[in-house]
Amino acid sequence: MRHILRKCSLFKDKSFIRLVALAAAGSGIAYDLGNRNSDWSSRVSIRAVPHYTFSSNSLFPSLAPSGYGNPPLSFSSISSASSADVNKEPPKPCCGCLRRDSIANAAAKVGPAVVNLSVPKGFHGMTVGKSIGSGTIIDGDGTILTCAHVVVDFQGFTSSSKGKVDVTLQDGRSFEGTVVNADLHSDIAIVKINSKTPLPTAKLGSSSSLRPGDWVVALGCPLSLQNTITAGIVSCVDRKSSDLGLGGMRREYLQTDCAINAGNSGGPLVNIDGEVIGVNIMKVLAADGLSFSVPIDSVSKIIEHFKTKGRVVRPWLGLKMLDLNDMIVAQLKEKDVLFPDVTKGVLVPMVSPGSPAERAGFHPGDVVVEFEGKPVGSIKEVIEIMGDKVGKPIKVVVKRTRNTSATLTVIPEEANPDM
């Protein structure tokens, strides 16, 4: 290279020489870009230096006059690959990574187990249409998980099929199913079919590890269009029923932006691993991308209640509760200097008249800090500890103004299913 530069210096009185060395496979070419009438060129041999990349403008700033407007050039040299590199296997995809076929694979695992449900509806002895929905076969014995509002009377209409449901599988087989159990509060129901041939089933996953932003897939039969798949992400993992203006007892939903429509109700919400992590239940009609599902962890508990008790047993205290955190506590202290010194707990803003909580001595403004001997910091913890303890006394420690404490004994009652 130094030899070439020395040779080029002989032409400095005629024109400006721009030298470009292209190192590739051990050879290069030198060009005179200064004098466009010159046909001078020279082929030289340059020993390749592996794995170097540089820009012409940064390495040879004096060789890039603005008058010529030549684009930036890149120089690189790649060493020959060894036989070991050639025979090396490509890296395996990471676990949990979204690949080109991730959604298709997840849908393929669950799709065969997704069914179309149809129930004739009547009013005063007249057939006025039918209720359509979706379901998922979760057991080889023909157990189908779906929504209660698909198979049970919700609005004064009665099923003219007397608990019978028309079930159509993805493979075209049809069965007559029977409604075994339904819980109106959670809107979850179980339908059973009998088959002499094997049935496809879907695996239940866990909803507790879901995070906002996780990819999910919704499967079902919207408008009776079987084998319909939509995809989206989890928007919220604990959307409260009160946020949606729904009355009654507290419920939590998974919020997603998957497209669901009439007929999707009861269909599965699936994670990228092809596991059912929710039951699609409803959407907001006046908006796009606001769909809701019952978390599968809650559904699993409901199914267990169906098996052991024949119904879902829910204890009722008669308390309206609010989770506390440092910011809320600081704000409450600004408004009331007598608010108890707590770092976490569950605030009781209201006590229902005549409820077990009122009889136990709860007051508005109490902060529950201990429930059945365990410290608590959220409503979810209180519900988990309480479980299905109906008629059994529970010890509760509350903090009150001026940092006074009180230990109360409350006996939960079974909640009214219509609440």
Side-chain angles (χ1 to χ4, degrees):
M1 180 65 77
R2 287 195 299 270
H3 174 70
I4 294 173
L5 293 175
R6 285 197 299 270
K7 296 280 289 183
C8 291
S9 64
L10 299 175
F11 298 94
K12 63 183 178 179
D13 56 336
K14 297 180 180 180
S15 63
F16 183 83
I17 302 298
R18 184 180 180 189
L19 182 66
V20 178
L22 299 177
S27 64
I29 302 175
Y31 295 94
D32 173 14
L33 301 179
N35 187 348
R36 300 191 183 277
N37 296 321
S38 172
D39 59 357
W40 174 86
S41 68
S42 175
R43 183 174 297 275
V44 297
S45 177
I46 304 174
R47 185 168 65 90
V49 181
H51 305 302
Y52 285 93
T53 301
F54 49 90
S55 167
S56 63
N57 287 345
S58 60
L59 188 61
F60 301 117
S62 61
L63 300 181
S66 59
Y68 293 97
N70 294 310
L73 300 176
S74 295
F75 302 79
S76 64
S77 174
I78 302 175
S79 61
S80 59
S82 65
S83 59
D85 293 333
V86 171
N87 297 326
K88 194 174 182 180
E89 293 184 2
K92 295 181 179 180
C94 64
C95 180
C97 293
L98 186 68
R99 304 184 303 274
R100 176 184 175 184
D101 58 353
S102 294
I103 292 175
N105 290 341
K109 289 182 180 179
V110 181
V114 179
V115 300
N116 175 235
L117 304 178
S118 176
V119 183
K121 290 293 182 180
F123 186 68
H124 294 300
M126 298 171 53
T127 300
V128 295
K130 62 182 180 179
S131 172
I132 59 172
S134 306
T136 311
I137 304 174
I138 60 173
D139 196 299
D141 65 359
T143 300
I144 298 174
L145 176 63
T146 186
C147 279
H149 76 257
V150 173
V151 296
V152 178
D153 171 35
F154 255 60
Q155 298 175 329
F157 292 90
T158 57
S159 172
S160 59
S161 60
K162 298 181 180 179
K164 300 300 180 180
V165 182
D166 294 329
V167 180
T168 305
L169 272 64
Q170 190 182 88
D171 58 20
R173 286 182 288 172
S174 297
F175 298 89
E176 183 180 75
T178 303
V179 180
V180 177
N181 265 309
D183 179 59
L184 304 186
H185 175 75
S186 62
D187 199 8
I188 294 298
I190 295 294
V191 173
K192 189 76 176 292
I193 60 174
N194 295 313
S195 174
K196 295 180 181 179
T197 55
L199 294 170
T201 60
K203 180 182 177 182
L204 301 186
S206 173
S207 54
S208 61
S209 58
L210 285 175
R211 299 178 301 168
D214 281 345
W215 283 94
V216 286
V217 182
L219 295 89
C221 311
L223 306 177
S224 295
L225 300 173
Q226 280 192 268
N227 312 335
T228 298
I229 300 166
T230 60
I233 61 170
V234 176
S235 305
C236 179
V237 297
D238 55 357
R239 179 64 64 205
K240 297 174 180 58
S241 54
S242 57
D243 295 341
L244 303 175
L246 301 177
M249 295 183 65
R250 181 180 186 271
R251 288 148 289 174
E252 287 188 352
Y253 301 103
L254 298 174
Q255 179 184 329
T256 75
D257 67 349
C258 291
I260 65 172
N261 295 281
N264 270 115
S265 292
L269 185 71
V270 180
N271 61 19
I272 292 299
D273 296 322
E275 300 170 335
V276 179
I277 46 88
V279 177
N280 298 319
I281 188 174
M282 60 184 172
K283 64 172 289 187
V284 176
L285 293 176
D288 294 325
L290 291 177
S291 305
F292 302 92
S293 307
V294 180
I296 201 64
D297 290 355
S298 299
V299 174
S300 297
K301 293 177 182 178
I302 292 169
I303 294 174
E304 188 61 30
H305 276 252
F306 284 160
K307 291 179 179 178
T308 57
K309 298 180 174 64
R311 70 185 196 283
V312 180
V313 177
R314 294 183 178 87
W316 177 64
L317 297 178
L319 292 174
K320 184 175 179 61
M321 296 182 283
L322 174 69
D323 291 347
L324 291 179
N325 56 40
D326 292 339
M327 301 305 295
I328 295 177
V329 170
Q331 190 176 50
L332 291 173
K333 277 186 166 294
E334 288 180 1
K335 295 179 179 180
D336 183 2
V337 294
L338 300 179
F339 189 82
D341 294 327
V342 294
T343 55
K344 68 175 186 176
V346 179
L347 178 65
V348 178
M350 187 181 76
V351 181
S352 299
S355 65
E358 185 187 51
R359 292 194 293 271
F362 279 89
H363 299 152
D366 285 349
V367 178
V368 178
V369 294
E370 193 174 298
F371 200 87
E372 193 69 337
K374 298 178 181 178
V376 292
S378 68
I379 301 171
K380 185 177 291 187
E381 291 176 348
V382 171
I383 294 173
E384 289 177 354
I385 294 171
M386 188 161 51
D388 59 356
K389 297 175 183 175
V390 173
K392 299 178 181 179
I394 296 176
K395 296 286 185 182
V396 183
V397 177
V398 299
K399 287 277 191 180
R400 290 176 170 166
T401 56
R402 296 186 175 86
N403 290 321
T404 58
S405 298
T407 302
L408 309 175
T409 301
V410 61
I411 302 176
E413 298 177 357
E414 184 172 354
N416 184 341
D418 297 329
M419 292 182 63

